[in-house]
Amino acid sequence: MQQVNKQDIRKLSLQELEQYFESVGEKRFRARQVYEWLWSKSLKNFDDMTNLSKATREHLKENFDINHILVDQFQRSDDGTIKNAVKLFDDQIVESVLIPTSKRITACVSSQVGCSLDCNFCATARLKRMRNLNPDEIYDQVVAIQEEARLYFDRPLTNIVFMGMGEPLLNYQNVLAAIERVCSPTGLGISPRRITLSTVGIAKMIRKLADDGVRFNLALSLHSAINETRTRLMPINQTNTVEELADALKYWYSITKRKVTYEYVIWDGINDDERHARALAKFCKHIPSKVNIIQYNPIDEGEYRQASPEKVSLYLRILEDSGIVAKVRKSRGQDIDAACGQLANKIDW
């Protein structure tokens, strides 16, 4: 018997599915039924598509695969945070996180297997970038966390942040396709205003986001508004300087009219002085923005240590005096390596 080269059915658009069903002598409306099972109901196998005939289901099984993710292991923090170790169809692994608070349940999802950006303070950066995630693999992470939110907290998923493994803007098309599917009425129907994409700062891609008319929120992992310091922390600053980022953000705001959130960690002896605080305040004046000061999550016994409370207060005072909204964000899930910068596939398989 000839081996059938199966195709991942979720790579097909609704229109392509309709064309396929017509080409094999089926009615076009069957495509919409299958599409609803795949996306709105996030079905993982063809046998459960109960409004299709057995013959149609067998035909789909013979010709297509559903390359669904598998949450094979998860860890639960003392604060309720859940970290998923997600196995992909090719046995690669990424991590995603459910972050519960009194008002929200947030899904933190990954966009790449590993990362290529070498940020010195981040555990994920120590992993080799293996590949980009497909749109359905990103979508499935959200679905898995949505199910966990209902199961463990009896509450709906409220927010999504692209702050997991990888740089979303280096997987641009797949990330935007996943967000479109998440927001679609035929998908999960989540408002784009509840989605935040976080980037280390790739100026040309920030401009492209604006040109493409995206409606979700943008966050920039900044950590210093002084080129020398930021390059030390984040080598990508060599080709995307603070000045270039400022210009790109001005362009973003001119098109979208949406403020930006700056994510900022204050490290002892690195950026914890008045000079850095005032540089940040000046940078924030370029466009309407706010600052999230993030607690540092150690990844080893290296050079990076959380700044003292006094230095954090110095920042807050300078930002407040400059009219900048700034909040200190306490990290969650530290005890299971699920906090910002800690995702590194430490679960043993």
Side-chain angles (χ1 to χ4, degrees):
M1 181 180 294
Q2 184 177 359
Q3 182 72 28
V4 176
N5 187 17
K6 294 185 180 182
Q7 184 178 5
D8 181 358
I9 195 169
R10 289 192 295 175
K11 288 186 176 180
L12 300 181
S13 67
L14 176 58
Q15 292 72 27
E16 289 169 331
L17 267 180
E18 288 174 338
Q19 292 169 5
Y20 176 80
F21 273 101
E22 283 190 323
S23 73
V24 296
E26 285 272 12
K27 300 292 186 182
R28 286 174 64 91
F29 75 86
R30 293 295 183 200
R32 191 169 294 278
Q33 290 176 320
V34 172
Y35 204 72
E36 182 179 359
W37 284 117
L38 293 173
W39 297 110
S40 295
K41 299 179 181 179
S42 303
L43 208 67
K44 301 179 183 179
N45 61 75
F46 295 112
D47 286 328
D48 292 336
M49 296 182 179
T50 53
N51 58 354
L52 303 180
S53 69
K54 184 176 180 181
T56 300
R57 283 178 275 167
E58 290 299 321
H59 176 86
L60 290 172
K61 285 195 292 183
E62 290 172 4
N63 291 275
F64 295 99
D65 282 321
I66 305 174
N67 289 331
H68 209 280
I69 67 165
L70 173 66
V71 179
D72 195 63
Q73 294 189 31
F74 77 98
Q75 295 172 284
R76 192 164 184 177
S77 168
D78 292 339
D79 62 23
T81 299
I82 293 174
K83 181 172 73 170
N84 293 323
V86 175
K87 184 177 286 189
L88 309 175
F89 75 94
D90 58 357
D91 291 333
Q92 298 285 353
I93 299 167
V94 295
E95 293 178 340
S96 59
V97 183
L98 181 157
I99 307 166
T101 65
S102 60
K103 296 181 179 179
R104 297 181 177 184
I105 290 189
T106 299
C108 176
V109 299
S110 295
S111 57
Q112 295 180 309
V113 183
C115 188
S116 60
L117 292 178
D118 298 325
C119 298
N120 295 324
F121 51 86
C122 179
T124 308
R126 300 182 178 184
L127 302 176
K128 180 181 178 181
R129 189 189 74 81
M130 303 301 293
R131 68 172 176 87
N132 290 332
L133 294 188
N134 298 324
D136 53 276
E137 293 171 324
I138 298 170
Y139 183 89
D140 285 350
Q141 292 175 70
V142 178
V143 171
I145 292 175
Q146 184 181 62
E147 292 172 352
E148 290 170 342
R150 291 169 177 156
L151 177 63
Y152 296 109
F153 299 94
D154 195 26
R155 291 160 53 194
L157 177 67
T158 61
N159 295 78
I160 303 168
V161 295
F162 282 78
M163 298 182 184
M165 300 170 69
E167 165 54 54
L169 295 187
L170 293 181
N171 187 15
Y172 189 90
Q173 296 297 338
N174 287 351
V175 166
L176 262 61
I179 292 174
E180 181 180 1
R181 177 52 48 208
V182 165
C183 297
S184 170
T186 60
L188 301 182
I190 294 176
S191 169
R193 294 183 178 274
R194 293 186 174 273
I195 298 174
T196 299
L197 183 149
S198 176
T199 175
V200 299
I202 304 172
K204 68 178 182 180
M205 302 309 291
I206 292 173
R207 290 174 177 271
K208 182 168 174 54
L209 283 175
D211 288 336
D212 286 344
V214 302
R215 295 181 295 142
F216 49 78
N217 302 303
L218 180 65
L220 175 66
S221 186
L222 186 60
H223 308 308
S224 178
I226 297 174
N227 277 317
E228 180 183 2
T229 304
R230 193 168 192 270
T231 298
R232 171 186 173 186
L233 295 167
M234 309 168 74
I236 195 173
N237 193 71
Q238 294 173 351
T239 54
N240 290 264
T241 64
V242 169
E243 293 77 17
E244 289 172 307
L245 288 178
D247 287 343
L249 292 168
K250 290 174 186 176
Y251 184 79
W252 157 271
Y253 186 76
S254 73
I255 301 294
T256 68
K257 304 304 180 188
R258 298 186 67 80
K259 68 170 59 176
V260 171
T261 299
Y262 298 124
E263 298 158 337
Y264 201 97
V265 178
I266 308 171
W267 286 282
D268 179 40
I270 295 176
N271 63 345
D272 62 346
D273 55 23
E274 182 174 342
R275 172 171 167 257
H276 283 87
R278 294 199 179 281
L280 173 59
K282 182 179 179 181
F283 189 86
C284 289
K285 294 292 187 178
H286 289 304
I287 64 170
S289 60
K290 63 179 180 179
V291 177
N292 281 343
I293 296 177
I294 301 169
Q295 179 181 349
Y296 179 58
N297 305 299
I299 58 175
D300 55 25
E301 298 301 322
E303 64 177 305
Y304 296 99
R305 299 179 302 277
Q306 173 69 39
S308 68
E310 292 77 16
K311 295 301 179 67
V312 175
S313 295
L314 169 69
Y315 261 84
L316 289 173
R317 184 173 68 253
I318 289 173
L319 292 171
E320 182 179 353
D321 290 346
S322 300
I324 308 300
V325 175
K327 294 183 179 180
V328 177
R329 298 293 187 186
K330 181 181 179 182
S331 290
R332 300 177 65 88
Q334 279 186 318
D335 56 316
I336 57 170
D337 292 324
C340 291
Q342 290 187 315
L343 300 185
N345 290 342
K346 289 186 180 178
I347 289 181
D348 294 326
W349 292 82

